[in-house]
Coordinates of all heavy atoms in Angstrom, one line a residue:
S408 N 31.0 32.5 0.8 CA 31.8 33.7 1.2 C 33.1 33.6 0.5 O 33.5 32.6 -0.1 CB 32.0 33.7 2.7 OG 33.0 32.8 3.0
S409 N 33.9 34.6 0.6 CA 35.3 34.6 0.2 C 36.1 33.6 1.1 O 35.6 33.3 2.2 CB 35.9 36.0 0.2 OG 35.7 36.5 1.5
I410 N 37.2 33.2 0.7 CA 38.1 32.3 1.5 C 39.1 33.1 2.2 O 39.8 34.0 1.5 CB 38.7 31.2 0.6 CG1 37.6 30.3 0.0 CG2 39.7 30.4 1.5 CD1 38.2 29.2 -0.9
A411 N 39.3 33.0 3.5 CA 40.2 33.8 4.3 C 41.3 32.8 4.8 O 41.0 31.7 5.2 CB 39.5 34.5 5.4
E412 N 42.6 33.3 4.8 CA 43.6 32.6 5.5 C 43.7 33.2 6.9 O 43.9 34.4 7.0 CB 44.9 32.7 4.7 CG 46.0 31.8 5.4 CD 47.1 31.5 4.4 OE1 47.6 32.4 3.8 OE2 47.5 30.3 4.3
T413 N 43.6 32.3 7.9 CA 43.5 32.9 9.3 C 44.5 32.2 10.2 O 44.9 31.1 10.1 CB 42.1 32.6 9.8 OG1 41.9 31.2 9.9 CG2 41.0 33.2 9.0
L414 N 44.9 33.0 11.3 CA 45.8 32.5 12.3 C 45.1 31.4 13.1 O 43.9 31.6 13.4 CB 46.2 33.6 13.2 CG 47.2 34.6 12.7 CD1 47.3 35.8 13.6 CD2 48.6 33.9 12.5
P415 N 45.8 30.3 13.4 CA 45.1 29.2 14.2 C 44.7 29.7 15.6 O 45.5 30.3 16.2 CB 46.1 28.1 14.2 CG 47.4 28.7 13.9 CD 47.1 29.9 13.1
I416 N 43.5 29.3 16.0 CA 43.1 29.5 17.4 C 43.2 28.1 18.0 O 42.8 27.1 17.4 CB 41.6 29.9 17.4 CG1 41.4 31.2 16.7 CG2 41.1 30.0 18.8 CD1 39.9 31.5 16.3
G417 N 43.9 28.1 19.2 CA 44.1 26.8 19.8 C 45.5 26.5 20.1 O 46.3 27.4 20.1
P418 N 45.9 25.2 20.2 CA 47.3 24.9 20.5 C 48.3 25.5 19.6 O 48.0 25.6 18.4 CB 47.3 23.3 20.4 CG 45.9 22.9 20.6 CD 45.0 24.0 20.1
A419 N 49.4 25.9 20.2 CA 50.4 26.6 19.4 C 51.1 25.7 18.4 O 51.0 24.5 18.5 CB 51.5 27.2 20.3
G420 N 51.7 26.3 17.3 CA 52.5 25.5 16.4 C 51.7 24.9 15.3 O 52.3 24.0 14.5
Q421 N 50.5 25.3 15.1 CA 49.7 24.7 14.0 C 49.8 25.5 12.7 O 50.0 26.7 12.8 CB 48.2 24.8 14.3 CG 47.7 24.0 15.5 CD 46.2 24.1 15.6 OE1 45.5 23.8 14.6 NE2 45.7 24.5 16.7
P422 N 49.6 24.9 11.6 CA 49.6 25.7 10.3 C 48.4 26.6 10.3 O 47.4 26.5 11.0 CB 49.5 24.6 9.2 CG 49.6 23.3 9.9 CD 49.4 23.5 11.4
M423 N 48.5 27.6 9.3 CA 47.4 28.6 9.1 C 46.2 27.8 8.6 O 46.3 26.8 7.9 CB 47.8 29.6 8.1 CG 49.0 30.4 8.5 SD 48.6 31.8 9.5 CE 47.8 32.9 8.4
Y424 N 45.0 28.4 8.9 CA 43.7 27.8 8.4 C 43.3 28.5 7.1 O 43.6 29.7 6.9 CB 42.6 28.1 9.4 CG 42.5 27.0 10.4 CD1 43.3 27.0 11.6 CD2 41.5 26.0 10.3 CE1 43.2 26.0 12.6 CE2 41.3 25.1 11.3 CZ 42.2 25.1 12.4 OH 42.0 24.1 13.4
L425 N 42.6 27.8 6.3 CA 41.7 28.4 5.3 C 40.3 28.3 5.8 O 39.9 27.2 6.2 CB 41.8 27.7 3.9 CG 43.0 28.0 3.1 CD1 42.9 27.3 1.7 CD2 43.4 29.4 3.0
N426 N 39.6 29.4 5.8 CA 38.2 29.4 6.3 C 37.2 30.0 5.3 O 37.6 31.0 4.6 CB 38.1 30.2 7.6 CG 38.5 29.5 8.8 OD1 39.6 29.7 9.4 ND2 37.8 28.5 9.3
Q427 N 36.1 29.4 5.2 CA 35.1 29.8 4.3 C 33.7 29.6 4.9 O 33.6 28.7 5.8 CB 35.1 29.1 2.9 CG 34.1 29.7 1.9 CD 34.2 29.0 0.5 OE1 34.5 27.8 0.5 NE2 33.9 29.7 -0.5
M428 N 32.7 30.3 4.5 CA 31.3 30.1 5.0 C 30.4 30.0 3.9 O 30.5 30.7 2.9 CB 30.9 31.2 6.0 CG 29.8 30.8 6.9 SD 29.4 32.1 8.1 CE 30.8 32.0 9.2
L429 N 29.4 29.0 4.0 CA 28.4 28.9 3.0 C 27.0 29.2 3.6 O 26.8 28.9 4.8 CB 28.3 27.4 2.5 CG 29.6 26.8 2.0 CD1 29.3 25.3 1.6 CD2 30.1 27.6 0.8
A430 N 26.2 29.9 2.9 CA 24.7 30.0 3.2 C 24.0 28.9 2.5 O 24.2 28.7 1.3 CB 24.2 31.3 2.8
I431 N 23.3 28.0 3.2 CA 22.6 26.9 2.6 C 21.1 27.0 3.0 O 20.8 27.5 4.1 CB 23.1 25.5 3.0 CG1 23.0 25.3 4.5 CG2 24.6 25.4 2.6 CD1 23.4 23.9 4.9
E432 N 20.3 26.6 2.0 CA 18.9 26.5 2.3 C 18.6 25.1 2.6 O 18.9 24.2 1.7 CB 18.0 27.1 1.2 CG 16.6 27.1 1.4 CD 15.8 27.7 0.3 OE1 16.4 27.9 -0.8 OE2 14.6 28.0 0.5
T433 N 18.0 24.7 3.7 CA 17.8 23.3 4.0 C 16.4 23.1 4.8 O 16.0 24.0 5.5 CB 18.9 22.8 4.9 OG1 18.7 21.4 5.1 CG2 19.0 23.5 6.2
S434 N 15.8 22.0 4.5 CA 14.6 21.7 5.4 C 14.9 20.5 6.3 O 14.0 19.9 6.9 CB 13.4 21.4 4.5 OG 13.7 20.3 3.6
L435 N 16.2 20.2 6.4 CA 16.6 19.1 7.4 C 16.5 19.7 8.8 O 16.8 20.8 9.0 CB 18.0 18.6 7.1 CG 18.3 17.9 5.8 CD1 19.8 17.4 5.8 CD2 17.4 16.6 5.7
D436 N 16.2 18.8 9.7 CA 16.3 19.1 11.1 C 17.7 19.4 11.5 O 18.6 18.8 10.9 CB 15.8 17.8 11.9 CG 16.2 17.9 13.3 OD1 15.4 18.4 14.1 OD2 17.3 17.4 13.7
P437 N 18.0 20.4 12.4 CA 19.4 20.8 12.7 C 20.3 19.6 13.0 O 21.5 19.6 12.6 CB 19.2 21.7 13.8 CG 17.9 22.3 13.6 CD 17.0 21.2 13.1
H438 N 19.8 18.6 13.8 CA 20.7 17.5 14.2 C 21.0 16.6 13.0 O 22.0 16.0 12.9 CB 20.0 16.7 15.4 CG 20.0 17.5 16.7 ND1 19.0 18.3 17.0 CD2 21.0 17.6 17.6 CE1 19.3 18.8 18.2 NE2 20.5 18.4 18.6
R439 N 20.0 16.5 12.1 CA 20.2 15.7 10.9 C 21.3 16.4 10.0 O 22.1 15.8 9.5 CB 18.9 15.6 10.2 CG 19.0 14.9 8.9 CD 18.9 13.3 9.1 NE 19.0 12.7 7.8 CZ 20.0 12.0 7.3 NH1 21.0 11.7 8.1 NH2 20.0 11.5 6.1
L440 N 21.2 17.7 10.0 CA 22.2 18.5 9.2 C 23.6 18.3 9.8 O 24.5 18.0 9.1 CB 21.8 20.0 9.2 CG 22.8 20.9 8.5 CD1 23.0 20.6 7.0 CD2 22.4 22.4 8.7
L441 N 23.6 18.3 11.1 CA 24.9 18.1 11.8 C 25.5 16.7 11.4 O 26.7 16.5 11.1 CB 24.8 18.2 13.3 CG 26.1 17.9 14.1 CD1 27.1 19.0 13.8 CD2 25.8 17.9 15.6
Q442 N 24.6 15.7 11.4 CA 25.0 14.3 11.1 C 25.6 14.3 9.7 O 26.6 13.6 9.4 CB 23.9 13.3 11.1 CG 23.5 12.9 12.5 CD 22.2 12.0 12.5 OE1 21.7 11.7 11.4 NE2 21.8 11.6 13.7
E443 N 24.9 14.9 8.7 CA 25.4 15.0 7.3 C 26.8 15.6 7.3 O 27.7 15.1 6.6 CB 24.4 15.7 6.5 CG 23.1 15.1 6.3 CD 23.1 13.9 5.3 OE1 24.1 13.8 4.6 OE2 22.1 13.2 5.2
L444 N 27.0 16.7 8.0 CA 28.3 17.4 8.0 C 29.3 16.5 8.6 O 30.5 16.5 8.1 CB 28.1 18.8 8.7 CG 27.2 19.8 8.1 CD1 27.0 21.0 9.0 CD2 27.6 20.2 6.7
Q445 N 29.0 15.8 9.7 CA 30.0 15.0 10.4 C 30.4 13.8 9.5 O 31.5 13.4 9.5 CB 29.5 14.5 11.7 CG 29.4 15.7 12.7 CD 28.9 15.3 14.1 OE1 28.2 14.3 14.2 NE2 29.3 16.0 15.1
S446 N 29.4 13.3 8.7 CA 29.8 12.3 7.8 C 30.7 12.7 6.7 O 31.6 12.0 6.3 CB 28.4 11.7 7.2 OG 28.6 11.2 6.0
I447 N 30.6 14.0 6.2 CA 31.5 14.5 5.2 C 32.9 14.7 5.9 O 33.9 14.3 5.3 CB 31.0 15.9 4.7 CG1 29.7 15.6 3.9 CG2 32.0 16.5 3.8 CD1 29.0 16.9 3.5

Side-chain angles (χ1 to χ4, degrees):
S408 79
S409 54
I410 296 177
E412 186 160 48
T413 62
L414 285 168
I416 300 162
Q421 297 185 53
M423 298 279 283
Y424 271 82
L425 287 188
N426 280 108
Q427 186 179 31
M428 198 175 289
L429 305 179
I431 63 173
E432 185 177 12
T433 185
S434 56
L435 291 183
D436 165 88
H438 290 89
R439 176 85 179 113
L440 175 63
L441 178 66
Q442 281 175 5
E443 293 282 351
L444 296 174
Q445 290 180 336
S446 149
I447 296 172

